[in-house]
Structure formats: C-alpha cells, structure tokens
Amino acid sequence: MHEEPDNFPAPELTSGEAGPETGAADPHPGFELEQAGLELDALEEIQLPPVQAEEAEPPETGPEEGESAESGEEEAEPEEAELELEPAPPMEQYCIFRSGRERFCLHVLEVDEVVDWPRLTNLPLAPPFLMGIFNLRGTIVPVVDIAFTEVRRADLSPKQVVVACLRDGSEGTEVRVGIAADEVIGTYSTCEELLQEEVPRDVPHCAGMLRHGDRLALALDLQRVLESFPVSSI
C-alpha cells in the first residue's frame, strides 16, 4: 500500500534570497563552499618554481633638468669670478674752478672750503705769484695766483679763494694754501681716470686732464703746486 508523503510547509525565503525560478542563490550553498575549499587545497599542494622578475633596464635619457641647471651654474661661476676680479673703478669728485683763462680742478678731499675774496695783507719782497696772506679763523693762509704769467689786470681782482690743505699722515702736519679763483664752477663726479696724453708740458704741477662734459680742466697735484709755488715757510 503506497503512502503519500506528508505535506511539509514550504521553506520561507529570507531577504536577499530568491527562488530557483528567479535565478537566486543555490539552495545548498554549503556544498559549493566545500568544493571550493578542496580546489584551494589542491592548488596549495602544487609547488610552482619561483619566478625571477627580470630587472628592467633604466631608459637611456639625457641629463636631468637639475643636472643641467647645476652644470649651467658651474659654467657661470668662472664668469662671476672674472667680474669679481674686475671691480668698477671708484667714483671720484673734483672741485672745478677757473683761474685766468684756464680751468683747474682739485680733488674734493684736498679742498677745505671756498671763501669770498678776503682783504689780503701784502708781504714785502714777496714773489710775484704770492698775492698776500689772510687770517682764516686763526690760521694764516697764503694766497697764490697760479695764473700770474697771464699778467692779470690790477683792477680785476679774483672773486674767490679755494683753500686747499695738504696733509702728511705720517707726521700729522697740515699745510694750507689759498688758490685765487676768478670763478668756482662747482663739483664734478666721475669714475674715469685722468687723461695723461694731453697734459701740457709747461705746467709741471698738472697731474692730468679732467674731462667734464665737453670741456677739459687741468687736475692739480697739490704737492707739486707747493713745490712750484713755495709758501710753506710763511
């Protein structure tokens, strides 16, 4: 006698599970996990020889930007060194004045001051270039006319006196002398050296020629001036 199977209630599907008709997960997931585990064990038992990775050769490239910049800096260093070896000449400043028909100049470090024409005291038996002496704040200053060979007119006196000072650093002595000036033009700064080729030979106290603008001025050597016009004994 055939017995009919009991009617078991249909299994309820949880959320995320679908039936076989909708293409859902296998109703026996444990079997598949066991089969996957066996396959993994079999793969672990198979020992494959280690694969040695081939070392990739670096691509041949040119010098990097940093290297090129460094090499450029190294090349530029000699040029900078050359520039350091050749510094710019120092700036010099001169006081330019006119005495007679000629323009003269002295370095500003040798000029104490410029004063208006003072009242001079004449000295007996004085040389023709010595115009006299005057008192400058307690210091007796002789005044010389470096253009005396031009035979200055008696009624045309100079207008100013350029008071120059020759200092002897070793002995600490100072010698002041006044140079008669018909016109004080002003100061002029330049970094150019004095011209030596155009120095007149008949002016022994000239150290060179100063070019200022389109004019030339005779640069005076104060030591030579005192030798050409000796007034140190006064």
Side-chain angles (χ1 to χ4, degrees):
M1 185 175 179
H2 179 69
E3 295 181 359
E4 296 181 358
D6 296 335
N7 295 327
F8 293 98
E12 297 180 358
L13 299 176
T14 60
S15 61
E17 297 179 355
E21 295 180 357
T22 61
D26 192 347
H28 303 286
F31 175 75
E32 293 182 357
L33 292 176
E34 290 180 1
Q35 187 176 1
L38 292 174
E39 293 178 356
L40 291 175
D41 293 340
L43 291 175
E44 291 178 356
E45 292 178 358
I46 299 173
Q47 296 181 357
L48 297 176
V51 179
Q52 296 181 355
E54 296 181 357
E55 297 181 358
E57 296 181 358
E60 296 182 357
T61 58
E64 297 181 358
E65 295 181 358
E67 295 179 356
S68 61
E70 291 178 358
S71 61
E73 292 178 357
E74 293 177 356
E75 293 177 356
E77 286 180 359
E79 297 180 359
E80 294 178 357
E82 291 179 1
L83 293 177
E84 292 178 357
L85 294 176
E86 297 179 359
M91 186 72 67
E92 304 291 347
Q93 192 172 20
Y94 297 88
C95 174
I96 304 174
F97 58 95
R98 182 178 60 83
S99 182
R101 294 189 298 266
E102 295 289 343
R103 289 191 176 196
F104 300 90
C105 66
L106 280 169
H107 199 282
V108 292
L109 297 180
E110 297 176 333
V111 178
D112 276 359
E113 58 184 302
V114 177
V115 298
D116 292 334
W117 189 252
R119 178 177 295 180
L120 298 180
T121 301
N122 297 325
L123 296 178
L125 303 178
F129 59 81
L130 182 59
M131 302 186 71
I133 59 175
F134 75 102
N135 189 339
L136 179 64
R137 295 186 295 275
T139 301
I140 301 301
V141 179
V143 179
V144 299
D145 184 8
I146 58 178
F148 74 99
T149 56
E150 298 180 9
V151 188
R152 185 188 303 273
R153 287 173 52 183
D155 57 340
L156 293 179
S157 299
K159 296 180 180 180
Q160 294 164 313
V161 176
V162 178
V163 181
C165 181
L166 179 64
R167 298 174 176 86
D168 188 351
S170 59
E171 299 180 0
T173 59
E174 296 181 351
V175 178
R176 285 181 171 82
V177 59
I179 301 176
D182 295 290
E183 178 187 6
V184 175
I185 299 170
T187 59
Y188 182 77
S189 300
T190 181
C191 59
E192 297 180 359
E193 297 182 356
L194 297 176
L195 303 176
Q196 300 293 334
E197 298 178 355
E198 303 181 12
V199 176
R201 296 181 179 180
D202 57 343
V203 185
H205 47 274
C206 178
M209 301 293 290
L210 173 67
R211 185 183 300 277
H212 59 103
D214 57 346
R215 302 293 297 271
L216 291 175
L218 281 75
L220 296 176
D221 185 333
L222 195 54
Q223 180 64 45
R224 297 180 187 176
V225 169
L226 293 176
E227 292 175 358
S228 301
F229 307 95
V231 293
S232 57
S233 58
I234 298 177

